[in-house]
Amino acid sequence: MLHVKNLSVSYSGQRVLSHIDLRVARGEILGVIGPNGVGKSTLIRALSASIPVEQGTVTVLGQDVSTLPTDARARLIAVVPQARALPPAFTGWEVVLLGRTPHIGWLGNLSAHDQEIARLAMQRTDTLHLAKRHVAEMSGGEQQRLLLARALCQSSPVLLLDEPTTHLDLKYQYNLLDLVRRLAREVGLTILLTLHDLNLVSRYTDRVALLVDGRLEALDTPAKVLTASLLSRAYQIPLIVIADRQSGQAAILPASRAS
């Protein structure tokens, strides 16, 4: 579904991402991890063609996204950004309907079909009760789910999420990622997300891409990437990994706090 080949990105002559190769299948969740500044958010922007790439290609369903007009690209890739910047005077319904813009244009008329897609997106994200409320009256968790509903409203096969759990308490972190996993399984979305919390990565992703200094250090299942040796080297801190034999999920802790 999503194919990244030999992708490199530079800012002001400095290489930020170098020769990234990866594929994400339909219905798969790929988690991208790595220390601050290794290029995780840059990767999201490059995949969505928000920034130019130095070399390489990003294709969705065989189409090179860099060659497509903005609306066509948005019909293939939806993005939930790290920073929430929703218009405070907009209602939840108005925010979600913005997701239909790639299909109808800024001045297009919304059909009954468009409105039904928006309603289903809000139903899936448990935001229907926010339809008439203004953004200024919503919590951070409510706004984050609304951004996800807007992305679903685009009807794009690929969903990119940049640190979707930032500033959310534990309840909303798990609720949001439970929803993301259901969307991958039930709707068949191809999902790539960046996360800081390695324990959430272990719990919710199918495969993990570890970035170090802008390069892809490892790409495999959580069990093979979330190892003490790989993570300690990448994050430059001694870590231990405690695996649950039944679930296969891991708990990652600083070695000094293991006891």
Side-chain angles (χ1 to χ4, degrees):
M1 181 66 74
L2 173 64
H3 184 196
V4 182
K5 184 176 181 180
N6 198 33
L7 183 72
S8 295
V9 178
S10 294
Y11 288 140
S12 303
Q14 182 176 357
R15 183 66 64 85
V16 180
L17 293 173
S18 297
H19 308 294
I20 304 297
D21 288 290
L22 57 84
R23 293 175 183 263
V24 194
R26 183 178 186 272
E28 182 181 21
I29 302 176
L30 176 68
V32 179
I33 64 172
N36 287 335
V38 297
K40 298 187 296 295
S41 293
T42 298
L43 178 62
I44 294 281
R45 292 194 287 270
L47 297 185
S48 60
S50 299
I51 58 173
V53 302
E54 182 179 350
Q55 66 182 55
T57 58
V58 179
T59 59
V60 175
L61 295 173
Q63 300 184 68
D64 185 339
V65 298
S66 67
T67 66
L68 299 174
T70 301
D71 57 347
R73 193 162 61 237
R75 290 194 291 269
L76 291 176
I77 299 175
V79 181
V80 177
Q82 185 176 146
R84 293 186 295 271
L86 299 177
F90 274 37
T91 64
W93 180 246
E94 290 169 332
V95 168
V96 174
L97 282 176
L98 290 174
R100 297 307 296 163
T101 303
H103 300 271
I104 64 173
W106 289 103
L107 300 177
N109 293 319
L110 288 164
S111 67
H113 176 65
D114 293 316
Q115 295 187 53
E116 178 62 13
I117 289 174
R119 188 192 68 78
L120 286 174
M122 296 188 80
Q123 183 178 27
R124 284 196 174 107
T125 54
D126 191 25
T127 53
L128 275 174
H129 65 289
L130 302 175
K132 295 182 180 180
R133 282 175 55 188
H134 292 93
V135 168
E137 303 168 344
M138 298 179 193
S139 69
E142 289 170 336
Q143 290 185 43
Q144 197 73 353
R145 294 206 311 279
L146 208 60
L147 281 171
L148 186 54
R150 184 182 69 180
L152 292 182
C153 202
Q154 286 181 224
S155 301
S156 308
V158 173
L159 178 61
L160 309 178
L161 302 101
D162 192 6
E163 296 291 348
T165 58
T166 300
H167 305 308
L168 299 183
D169 63 28
L170 284 176
K171 173 185 175 182
Y172 283 117
Q173 288 181 31
Y174 283 99
N175 286 350
L176 184 74
L177 292 175
D178 281 339
L179 171 60
V180 168
R181 185 163 55 187
R182 284 201 308 273
L183 292 171
R185 303 296 184 260
E186 297 173 8
V187 183
L189 289 181
T190 297
I191 296 174
L192 181 146
L193 55 81
T194 66
L195 283 172
H196 275 301
D197 190 325
L198 299 178
N199 295 297
L200 292 177
V201 172
S202 174
R203 183 183 182 94
Y204 287 103
T205 64
D206 299 305
R207 287 190 301 146
V208 182
L210 172 62
L211 292 180
V212 178
D213 295 328
R215 295 183 179 276
L216 192 58
E217 183 75 11
L219 175 62
D220 214 316
T221 62
K224 292 184 178 179
V225 176
L226 300 179
T227 66
S229 59
L230 267 177
L231 296 178
S232 297
R233 189 164 63 248
Y235 288 90
Q236 298 183 6
I237 181 176
L239 298 169
I240 65 165
V241 178
I242 304 172
D244 184 291
R245 293 183 179 180
Q246 291 186 337
S247 68
Q249 296 169 9
I252 296 98
L253 301 168
S256 60
R257 298 179 185 177
S259 58

